[in-house]
Amino acid sequence: MATTVPLKPKAAAEKVQNMIAEFNDRAKSAFEKSVKASEELTEFTKGNMEAFATSAKTAAKGAESIGQEIADYSKKSFETASATFKSFTTVKTPTELFQIQSDFAKSSFDSAIAEASKLSEAWLKIAGDVIQPLSSRYALAAEKFKSNAL
């Protein structure tokens, strides 16, 4: 017959107290880790929101700049066209009229191509500037995920 040695009340109480203390220590450690993780998540989210705000400001400033550039080009084109049409009134021969019209068409086309190229470059630069803060946040998120996964 198996016999068990009963624990003395004092030893049993110490064992229970040790178990409770160990449980409390583990619970406290888990709570501290969750608080730290929550703080890190809050800080990371704050950084993401700041990156989005920075990107939005950059996009707004870029759109404003390009809008102004388009307005300036439109004004310049209108002034050039007005001057050309005024010069039509001084034409003495059809050949002269066709020459002025041809020169105007050529310069307008060249100007439009140059402006389109300039605007394309500006849009690409703005796009890069808008994406940069978001890209940095993505890289940081990937690094955090990678370090936490290991």
Side-chain angles (χ1 to χ4, degrees):
M1 182 176 312
T3 60
T4 58
V5 177
L7 292 176
K8 294 184 180 178
K10 189 174 184 179
E14 283 181 14
K15 188 170 186 177
V16 168
Q17 283 180 335
N18 287 341
M19 288 173 49
I20 291 172
E22 184 179 330
F23 175 78
N24 284 341
D25 289 343
R26 287 183 182 179
K28 182 179 177 183
S29 175
F31 178 74
E32 288 171 353
K33 285 180 182 178
S34 81
V35 167
K36 182 180 176 191
S38 176
E39 288 171 354
E40 287 177 359
L41 179 62
T42 300
E43 188 64 31
F44 186 73
T45 302
K46 180 181 173 188
N48 288 347
M49 299 320 292
E50 288 171 355
F52 281 119
T54 300
S55 289
K57 286 178 187 177
T58 301
K61 285 180 183 178
E64 179 182 354
S65 172
I66 287 180
Q68 184 62 47
E69 179 67 33
I70 291 171
D72 292 345
Y73 175 74
S74 297
K75 180 181 176 186
K76 180 180 156 194
S77 294
F78 178 76
E79 290 170 353
T80 302
S82 294
T84 300
F85 289 126
K86 282 182 185 179
S87 71
F88 285 167
T89 60
T90 63
V91 170
K92 294 184 173 83
T93 66
T95 304
E96 188 179 353
L97 174 69
F98 287 122
Q99 184 62 44
I100 292 172
Q101 193 277 333
S102 176
D103 291 344
F104 171 71
K106 182 181 181 306
S107 69
S108 293
F109 179 77
D110 291 345
S111 175
I113 295 298
E115 188 66 18
S117 176
K118 185 177 173 183
L119 288 174
S120 292
E121 289 175 15
W123 276 115
L124 286 174
K125 182 182 180 324
I126 289 169
D129 292 347
V130 167
I131 293 298
Q132 194 279 325
L134 301 176
S135 175
S136 296
R137 294 306 295 175
Y138 175 77
L140 180 63
E143 185 61 35
K144 281 189 175 283
F145 182 74
K146 182 179 175 184
S147 67
N148 286 336
L150 298 176

mmCIF file of all heavy atoms in Angstrom, residues 69-110:
data_model
loop_
_atom_site.group_PDB
_atom_site.id
_atom_site.type_symbol
_atom_site.label_atom_id
_atom_site.label_comp_id
_atom_site.label_asym_id
_atom_site.label_seq_id
_atom_site.Cartn_x
_atom_site.Cartn_y
_atom_site.Cartn_z
ATOM 1 N N GLU A 69 2.350 76.939 -61.867
ATOM 2 C CA GLU A 69 3.141 76.806 -63.089
ATOM 3 C C GLU A 69 2.229 76.738 -64.317
ATOM 4 O O GLU A 69 2.493 77.377 -65.337
ATOM 5 C CB GLU A 69 4.018 75.552 -63.009
ATOM 6 C CG GLU A 69 4.866 75.295 -64.231
ATOM 7 C CD GLU A 69 5.953 76.332 -64.443
ATOM 8 O OE1 GLU A 69 6.478 76.849 -63.446
ATOM 9 O OE2 GLU A 69 6.275 76.620 -65.612
ATOM 10 N N ILE A 70 1.155 75.972 -64.210
ATOM 11 C CA ILE A 70 0.204 75.861 -65.327
ATOM 12 C C ILE A 70 -0.479 77.194 -65.588
ATOM 13 O O ILE A 70 -0.654 77.601 -66.749
ATOM 14 C CB ILE A 70 -0.830 74.744 -65.043
ATOM 15 C CG1 ILE A 70 -0.138 73.379 -65.101
ATOM 16 C CG2 ILE A 70 -1.993 74.797 -66.026
ATOM 17 C CD1 ILE A 70 -0.999 72.230 -64.617
ATOM 18 N N ALA A 71 -0.852 77.905 -64.520
ATOM 19 C CA ALA A 71 -1.485 79.218 -64.682
ATOM 20 C C ALA A 71 -0.521 80.198 -65.360
ATOM 21 O O ALA A 71 -0.925 80.951 -66.263
ATOM 22 C CB ALA A 71 -1.931 79.761 -63.327
ATOM 23 N N ASP A 72 0.736 80.189 -64.938
ATOM 24 C CA ASP A 72 1.733 81.079 -65.551
ATOM 25 C C ASP A 72 1.929 80.739 -67.030
ATOM 26 O O ASP A 72 2.001 81.644 -67.873
ATOM 27 C CB ASP A 72 3.075 80.982 -64.820
ATOM 28 C CG ASP A 72 3.035 81.549 -63.412
ATOM 29 O OD1 ASP A 72 2.068 82.266 -63.079
ATOM 30 O OD2 ASP A 72 3.973 81.250 -62.635
ATOM 31 N N TYR A 73 2.003 79.457 -67.337
ATOM 32 C CA TYR A 73 2.174 79.042 -68.732
ATOM 33 C C TYR A 73 0.954 79.439 -69.575
ATOM 34 O O TYR A 73 1.105 79.921 -70.701
ATOM 35 C CB TYR A 73 2.409 77.530 -68.816
ATOM 36 C CG TYR A 73 2.472 77.030 -70.236
ATOM 37 C CD1 TYR A 73 3.594 77.285 -71.016
ATOM 38 C CD2 TYR A 73 1.413 76.345 -70.805
ATOM 39 C CE1 TYR A 73 3.660 76.854 -72.336
ATOM 40 C CE2 TYR A 73 1.468 75.911 -72.114
ATOM 41 C CZ TYR A 73 2.592 76.169 -72.883
ATOM 42 O OH TYR A 73 2.644 75.745 -74.168
ATOM 43 N N SER A 74 -0.221 79.256 -69.005
ATOM 44 C CA SER A 74 -1.444 79.621 -69.726
ATOM 45 C C SER A 74 -1.483 81.118 -70.009
ATOM 46 O O SER A 74 -1.847 81.540 -71.116
ATOM 47 C CB SER A 74 -2.681 79.213 -68.921
ATOM 48 O OG SER A 74 -2.727 77.828 -68.759
ATOM 49 N N LYS A 75 -1.103 81.911 -69.034
ATOM 50 C CA LYS A 75 -1.083 83.365 -69.213
ATOM 51 C C LYS A 75 -0.082 83.745 -70.305
ATOM 52 O O LYS A 75 -0.389 84.549 -71.196
ATOM 53 C CB LYS A 75 -0.710 84.047 -67.889
ATOM 54 C CG LYS A 75 -0.664 85.552 -67.976
ATOM 55 C CD LYS A 75 -0.278 86.165 -66.646
ATOM 56 C CE LYS A 75 -0.155 87.667 -66.797
ATOM 57 N NZ LYS A 75 0.341 88.296 -65.581
ATOM 58 N N LYS A 76 1.101 83.160 -70.237
ATOM 59 C CA LYS A 76 2.132 83.437 -71.236
ATOM 60 C C LYS A 76 1.657 83.018 -72.633
ATOM 61 O O LYS A 76 1.837 83.764 -73.612
ATOM 62 C CB LYS A 76 3.419 82.684 -70.867
ATOM 63 C CG LYS A 76 4.566 82.893 -71.819
ATOM 64 C CD LYS A 76 5.769 82.090 -71.353
ATOM 65 C CE LYS A 76 6.675 81.809 -72.537
ATOM 66 N NZ LYS A 76 7.661 80.801 -72.261
ATOM 67 N N SER A 77 1.036 81.863 -72.737
ATOM 68 C CA SER A 77 0.534 81.379 -74.028
ATOM 69 C C SER A 77 -0.553 82.295 -74.572
ATOM 70 O O SER A 77 -0.593 82.587 -75.775
ATOM 71 C CB SER A 77 -0.011 79.957 -73.892
ATOM 72 O OG SER A 77 1.015 79.068 -73.589
ATOM 73 N N PHE A 78 -1.430 82.734 -73.687
ATOM 74 C CA PHE A 78 -2.496 83.639 -74.123
ATOM 75 C C PHE A 78 -1.918 84.958 -74.630
ATOM 76 O O PHE A 78 -2.361 85.487 -75.665
ATOM 77 C CB PHE A 78 -3.475 83.901 -72.964
ATOM 78 C CG PHE A 78 -4.576 84.856 -73.320
ATOM 79 C CD1 PHE A 78 -5.641 84.439 -74.100
ATOM 80 C CD2 PHE A 78 -4.537 86.169 -72.884
ATOM 81 C CE1 PHE A 78 -6.655 85.318 -74.445
ATOM 82 C CE2 PHE A 78 -5.533 87.061 -73.228
ATOM 83 C CZ PHE A 78 -6.602 86.632 -74.005
ATOM 84 N N GLU A 79 -0.932 85.487 -73.905
ATOM 85 C CA GLU A 79 -0.310 86.744 -74.331
ATOM 86 C C GLU A 79 0.386 86.581 -75.684
ATOM 87 O O GLU A 79 0.295 87.463 -76.549
ATOM 88 C CB GLU A 79 0.681 87.222 -73.265
ATOM 89 C CG GLU A 79 0.012 87.710 -71.997
ATOM 90 C CD GLU A 79 0.981 87.955 -70.856
ATOM 91 O OE1 GLU A 79 2.189 87.618 -70.982
ATOM 92 O OE2 GLU A 79 0.523 88.462 -69.821
ATOM 93 N N THR A 80 1.069 85.454 -75.870
ATOM 94 C CA THR A 80 1.737 85.183 -77.143
ATOM 95 C C THR A 80 0.716 85.056 -78.268
ATOM 96 O O THR A 80 0.900 85.615 -79.358
ATOM 97 C CB THR A 80 2.586 83.899 -77.055
ATOM 98 O OG1 THR A 80 3.540 84.049 -76.006
ATOM 99 C CG2 THR A 80 3.309 83.620 -78.360
ATOM 100 N N ALA A 81 -0.357 84.338 -78.012
ATOM 101 C CA ALA A 81 -1.402 84.170 -79.031
ATOM 102 C C ALA A 81 -2.052 85.509 -79.357
ATOM 103 O O ALA A 81 -2.301 85.823 -80.541
ATOM 104 C CB ALA A 81 -2.446 83.171 -78.552
ATOM 105 N N SER A 82 -2.315 86.324 -78.344
ATOM 106 C CA SER A 82 -2.922 87.647 -78.578
ATOM 107 C C SER A 82 -2.014 88.520 -79.434
ATOM 108 O O SER A 82 -2.476 89.188 -80.367
ATOM 109 C CB SER A 82 -3.196 88.341 -77.247
ATOM 110 O OG SER A 82 -4.169 87.651 -76.525
ATOM 111 N N ALA A 83 -0.728 88.504 -79.114
ATOM 112 C CA ALA A 83 0.220 89.305 -79.899
ATOM 113 C C ALA A 83 0.281 88.811 -81.343
ATOM 114 O O ALA A 83 0.338 89.621 -82.286
ATOM 115 C CB ALA A 83 1.606 89.248 -79.251
ATOM 116 N N THR A 84 0.252 87.505 -81.518
ATOM 117 C CA THR A 84 0.302 86.941 -82.866
ATOM 118 C C THR A 84 -0.950 87.325 -83.646
ATOM 119 O O THR A 84 -0.859 87.737 -84.815
ATOM 120 C CB THR A 84 0.438 85.402 -82.806
ATOM 121 O OG1 THR A 84 1.648 85.090 -82.109
ATOM 122 C CG2 THR A 84 0.482 84.808 -84.195
ATOM 123 N N PHE A 85 -2.116 87.219 -83.032
ATOM 124 C CA PHE A 85 -3.353 87.571 -83.727
ATOM 125 C C PHE A 85 -3.410 89.065 -84.044
ATOM 126 O O PHE A 85 -3.952 89.452 -85.082
ATOM 127 C CB PHE A 85 -4.579 87.123 -82.938
ATOM 128 C CG PHE A 85 -4.766 85.629 -82.941
ATOM 129 C CD1 PHE A 85 -4.892 84.935 -81.752
ATOM 130 C CD2 PHE A 85 -4.788 84.915 -84.130
ATOM 131 C CE1 PHE A 85 -5.051 83.562 -81.763
ATOM 132 C CE2 PHE A 85 -4.936 83.538 -84.144
ATOM 133 C CZ PHE A 85 -5.070 82.849 -82.951
ATOM 134 N N LYS A 86 -2.834 89.889 -83.179
ATOM 135 C CA LYS A 86 -2.763 91.326 -83.483
ATOM 136 C C LYS A 86 -1.869 91.565 -84.697
ATOM 137 O O LYS A 86 -2.142 92.440 -85.522
ATOM 138 C CB LYS A 86 -2.231 92.110 -82.282
ATOM 139 C CG LYS A 86 -3.258 92.339 -81.211
ATOM 140 C CD LYS A 86 -2.669 93.159 -80.079
ATOM 141 C CE LYS A 86 -3.659 93.295 -78.953
ATOM 142 N NZ LYS A 86 -3.118 94.057 -77.833
ATOM 143 N N SER A 87 -0.805 90.768 -84.806
ATOM 144 C CA SER A 87 0.099 90.947 -85.941
ATOM 145 C C SER A 87 -0.557 90.529 -87.254
ATOM 146 O O SER A 87 -0.134 90.956 -88.326
ATOM 147 C CB SER A 87 1.405 90.184 -85.728
ATOM 148 O OG SER A 87 1.195 88.800 -85.821
ATOM 149 N N PHE A 88 -1.620 89.735 -87.189
ATOM 150 C CA PHE A 88 -2.351 89.348 -88.402
ATOM 151 C C PHE A 88 -2.982 90.579 -89.073
ATOM 152 O O PHE A 88 -3.165 90.598 -90.293
ATOM 153 C CB PHE A 88 -3.467 88.344 -88.094
ATOM 154 C CG PHE A 88 -2.997 86.936 -87.822
ATOM 155 C CD1 PHE A 88 -3.866 86.011 -87.266
ATOM 156 C CD2 PHE A 88 -1.700 86.521 -88.102
ATOM 157 C CE1 PHE A 88 -3.467 84.705 -87.008
ATOM 158 C CE2 PHE A 88 -1.284 85.213 -87.840
ATOM 159 C CZ PHE A 88 -2.166 84.305 -87.295
ATOM 160 N N THR A 89 -3.285 91.592 -88.282
ATOM 161 C CA THR A 89 -3.938 92.781 -88.852
ATOM 162 C C THR A 89 -2.986 93.620 -89.694
ATOM 163 O O THR A 89 -3.435 94.433 -90.504
ATOM 164 C CB THR A 89 -4.524 93.661 -87.733
ATOM 165 O OG1 THR A 89 -3.484 94.089 -86.867
ATOM 166 C CG2 THR A 89 -5.589 92.911 -86.958
ATOM 167 N N THR A 90 -1.704 93.408 -89.523
ATOM 168 C CA THR A 90 -0.724 94.193 -90.278
ATOM 169 C C THR A 90 -0.199 93.457 -91.508
ATOM 170 O O THR A 90 0.670 93.966 -92.213
ATOM 171 C CB THR A 90 0.474 94.566 -89.376
ATOM 172 O OG1 THR A 90 1.123 93.380 -88.966
ATOM 173 C CG2 THR A 90 0.015 95.377 -88.182
ATOM 174 N N VAL A 91 -0.737 92.275 -91.761
ATOM 175 C CA VAL A 91 -0.264 91.440 -92.864
ATOM 176 C C VAL A 91 -0.664 92.064 -94.195
ATOM 177 O O VAL A 91 -1.779 92.552 -94.372
ATOM 178 C CB VAL A 91 -0.857 90.009 -92.731
ATOM 179 C CG1 VAL A 91 -0.581 89.191 -93.966
ATOM 180 C CG2 VAL A 91 -0.319 89.341 -91.504
ATOM 181 N N LYS A 92 0.275 92.022 -95.143
ATOM 182 C CA LYS A 92 0.022 92.607 -96.457
ATOM 183 C C LYS A 92 -0.201 91.538 -97.524
ATOM 184 O O LYS A 92 -0.832 91.810 -98.541
ATOM 185 C CB LYS A 92 1.191 93.504 -96.833
ATOM 186 C CG LYS A 92 1.304 94.709 -95.916
ATOM 187 C CD LYS A 92 2.419 95.616 -96.373
ATOM 188 C CE LYS A 92 2.448 96.882 -95.602
ATOM 189 N NZ LYS A 92 3.049 96.983 -94.380
ATOM 190 N N THR A 93 0.335 90.317 -97.285
ATOM 191 C CA THR A 93 0.183 89.261 -98.297
ATOM 192 C C THR A 93 -0.212 87.953 -97.616
ATOM 193 O O THR A 93 0.092 87.748 -96.428
ATOM 194 C CB THR A 93 1.504 89.025 -99.063
ATOM 195 O OG1 THR A 93 2.463 88.492 -98.156
ATOM 196 C CG2 THR A 93 2.022 90.292 -99.719
ATOM 197 N N PRO A 94 -0.865 87.057 -98.374
ATOM 198 C CA PRO A 94 -1.200 85.752 -97.802
ATOM 199 C C PRO A 94 0.055 84.976 -97.393
ATOM 200 O O PRO A 94 0.050 84.264 -96.391
ATOM 201 C CB PRO A 94 -1.940 85.034 -98.929
ATOM 202 C CG PRO A 94 -2.465 86.116 -99.810
ATOM 203 C CD PRO A 94 -1.488 87.243 -99.690
ATOM 204 N N THR A 95 1.131 85.123 -98.093
ATOM 205 C CA THR A 95 2.366 84.430 -97.750
ATOM 206 C C THR A 95 2.860 84.874 -96.384
ATOM 207 O O THR A 95 3.289 84.056 -95.553
ATOM 208 C CB THR A 95 3.444 84.704 -98.817
ATOM 209 O OG1 THR A 95 2.941 84.333 -100.085
ATOM 210 C CG2 THR A 95 4.721 83.953 -98.518
ATOM 211 N N GLU A 96 2.797 86.157 -96.146
ATOM 212 C CA GLU A 96 3.216 86.702 -94.860
ATOM 213 C C GLU A 96 2.305 86.168 -93.738
ATOM 214 O O GLU A 96 2.782 85.818 -92.655
ATOM 215 C CB GLU A 96 3.162 88.231 -94.896
ATOM 216 C CG GLU A 96 3.756 88.900 -93.683
ATOM 217 C CD GLU A 96 3.713 90.423 -93.779
ATOM 218 O OE1 GLU A 96 3.340 90.970 -94.830
ATOM 219 O OE2 GLU A 96 4.046 91.052 -92.764
ATOM 220 N N LEU A 97 0.993 86.093 -94.008
ATOM 221 C CA LEU A 97 0.040 85.564 -93.036
ATOM 222 C C LEU A 97 0.383 84.111 -92.695
ATOM 223 O O LEU A 97 0.428 83.726 -91.515
ATOM 224 C CB LEU A 97 -1.393 85.648 -93.586
ATOM 225 C CG LEU A 97 -2.463 85.001 -92.706
ATOM 226 C CD1 LEU A 97 -2.645 85.797 -91.434
ATOM 227 C CD2 LEU A 97 -3.756 84.889 -93.478
ATOM 228 N N PHE A 98 0.620 83.296 -93.728
ATOM 229 C CA PHE A 98 0.947 81.890 -93.497
ATOM 230 C C PHE A 98 2.288 81.741 -92.762
ATOM 231 O O PHE A 98 2.456 80.824 -91.956
ATOM 232 C CB PHE A 98 0.952 81.098 -94.810
ATOM 233 C CG PHE A 98 -0.429 80.868 -95.345
ATOM 234 C CD1 PHE A 98 -0.777 81.312 -96.605
ATOM 235 C CD2 PHE A 98 -1.395 80.222 -94.587
ATOM 236 C CE1 PHE A 98 -2.053 81.105 -97.099
ATOM 237 C CE2 PHE A 98 -2.668 80.008 -95.074
ATOM 238 C CZ PHE A 98 -3.007 80.456 -96.339
ATOM 239 N N GLN A 99 3.217 82.633 -93.035
ATOM 240 C CA GLN A 99 4.519 82.577 -92.351
ATOM 241 C C GLN A 99 4.355 82.885 -90.861
ATOM 242 O O GLN A 99 4.898 82.178 -90.011
ATOM 243 C CB GLN A 99 5.507 83.556 -92.999
ATOM 244 C CG GLN A 99 6.902 83.499 -92.412
ATOM 245 C CD GLN A 99 7.555 82.133 -92.606
ATOM 246 O OE1 GLN A 99 7.489 81.546 -93.679
ATOM 247 N NE2 GLN A 99 8.160 81.610 -91.551
ATOM 248 N N ILE A 100 3.586 83.933 -90.552
ATOM 249 C CA ILE A 100 3.361 84.283 -89.143
ATOM 250 C C ILE A 100 2.620 83.153 -88.430
ATOM 251 O O ILE A 100 2.982 82.758 -87.317
ATOM 252 C CB ILE A 100 2.570 85.613 -89.031
ATOM 253 C CG1 ILE A 100 3.435 86.782 -89.508
ATOM 254 C CG2 ILE A 100 2.096 85.847 -87.599
ATOM 255 C CD1 ILE A 100 2.686 88.103 -89.629
ATOM 256 N N GLN A 101 1.601 82.613 -89.114
ATOM 257 C CA GLN A 101 0.820 81.527 -88.526
ATOM 258 C C GLN A 101 1.690 80.286 -88.325
ATOM 259 O O GLN A 101 1.618 79.620 -87.304
ATOM 260 C CB GLN A 101 -0.397 81.220 -89.412
ATOM 261 C CG GLN A 101 -1.442 80.347 -88.785
ATOM 262 C CD GLN A 101 -1.119 78.867 -88.884
ATOM 263 O OE1 GLN A 101 -0.431 78.426 -89.792
ATOM 264 N NE2 GLN A 101 -1.619 78.097 -87.921
ATOM 265 N N SER A 102 2.528 79.979 -89.272
ATOM 266 C CA SER A 102 3.417 78.819 -89.186
ATOM 267 C C SER A 102 4.428 78.984 -88.046
ATOM 268 O O SER A 102 4.665 78.046 -87.274
ATOM 269 C CB SER A 102 4.144 78.634 -90.518
ATOM 270 O OG SER A 102 5.067 77.579 -90.427
ATOM 271 N N ASP A 103 5.010 80.174 -87.950
ATOM 272 C CA ASP A 103 5.959 80.442 -86.859
ATOM 273 C C ASP A 103 5.263 80.329 -85.491
ATOM 274 O O ASP A 103 5.831 79.772 -84.538
ATOM 275 C CB ASP A 103 6.578 81.833 -87.007
ATOM 276 C CG ASP A 103 7.506 81.941 -88.205
ATOM 277 O OD1 ASP A 103 7.910 80.897 -88.752
ATOM 278 O OD2 ASP A 103 7.825 83.094 -88.597
ATOM 279 N N PHE A 104 4.046 80.860 -85.419
ATOM 280 C CA PHE A 104 3.283 80.787 -84.169
ATOM 281 C C PHE A 104 2.987 79.324 -83.804
ATOM 282 O O PHE A 104 3.166 78.914 -82.657
ATOM 283 C CB PHE A 104 1.974 81.582 -84.287
ATOM 284 C CG PHE A 104 1.061 81.379 -83.120
ATOM 285 C CD1 PHE A 104 1.362 81.901 -81.870
ATOM 286 C CD2 PHE A 104 -0.117 80.644 -83.254
ATOM 287 C CE1 PHE A 104 0.518 81.703 -80.797
ATOM 288 C CE2 PHE A 104 -0.953 80.442 -82.177
ATOM 289 C CZ PHE A 104 -0.644 80.976 -80.944
ATOM 290 N N ALA A 105 2.546 78.535 -84.773
ATOM 291 C CA ALA A 105 2.225 77.129 -84.528
ATOM 292 C C ALA A 105 3.471 76.367 -84.064
ATOM 293 O O ALA A 105 3.412 75.568 -83.115
ATOM 294 C CB ALA A 105 1.635 76.491 -85.777
ATOM 295 N N LYS A 106 4.600 76.623 -84.736
ATOM 296 C CA LYS A 106 5.837 75.935 -84.368
ATOM 297 C C LYS A 106 6.276 76.315 -82.953
ATOM 298 O O LYS A 106 6.603 75.446 -82.137
ATOM 299 C CB LYS A 106 6.939 76.266 -85.364
ATOM 300 C CG LYS A 106 8.251 75.539 -85.078
ATOM 301 C CD LYS A 106 9.319 75.930 -86.089
ATOM 302 C CE LYS A 106 10.622 75.226 -85.887
ATOM 303 N NZ LYS A 106 11.216 75.318 -84.593
ATOM 304 N N SER A 107 6.272 77.604 -82.658
ATOM 305 C CA SER A 107 6.709 78.030 -81.320
ATOM 306 C C SER A 107 5.725 77.555 -80.250
ATOM 307 O O SER A 107 6.148 77.182 -79.147
ATOM 308 C CB SER A 107 6.888 79.549 -81.257
ATOM 309 O OG SER A 107 5.647 80.205 -81.355
ATOM 310 N N SER A 108 4.439 77.530 -80.562
ATOM 311 C CA SER A 108 3.444 77.037 -79.595
ATOM 312 C C SER A 108 3.649 75.554 -79.320
ATOM 313 O O SER A 108 3.574 75.105 -78.172
ATOM 314 C CB SER A 108 2.027 77.273 -80.107
ATOM 315 O OG SER A 108 1.750 78.638 -80.167
ATOM 316 N N PHE A 109 3.908 74.793 -80.372
ATOM 317 C CA PHE A 109 4.139 73.359 -80.219
ATOM 318 C C PHE A 109 5.400 73.105 -79.397
ATOM 319 O O PHE A 109 5.389 72.312 -78.448
ATOM 320 C CB PHE A 109 4.242 72.684 -81.595
ATOM 321 C CG PHE A 109 4.492 71.211 -81.510
ATOM 322 C CD1 PHE A 109 3.468 70.340 -81.188
ATOM 323 C CD2 PHE A 109 5.770 70.703 -81.730
ATOM 324 C CE1 PHE A 109 3.698 68.971 -81.098
ATOM 325 C CE2 PHE A 109 6.011 69.338 -81.643
ATOM 326 C CZ PHE A 109 4.971 68.476 -81.327
ATOM 327 N N ASP A 110 6.484 73.788 -79.742
ATOM 328 C CA ASP A 110 7.735 73.622 -78.996
ATOM 329 C C ASP A 110 7.563 74.007 -77.525
ATOM 330 O O ASP A 110 8.065 73.323 -76.628
ATOM 331 C CB ASP A 110 8.854 74.464 -79.629
ATOM 332 C CG ASP A 110 9.292 73.945 -80.985
ATOM 333 O OD1 ASP A 110 8.955 72.789 -81.331
ATOM 334 O OD2 ASP A 110 9.970 74.702 -81.722
#
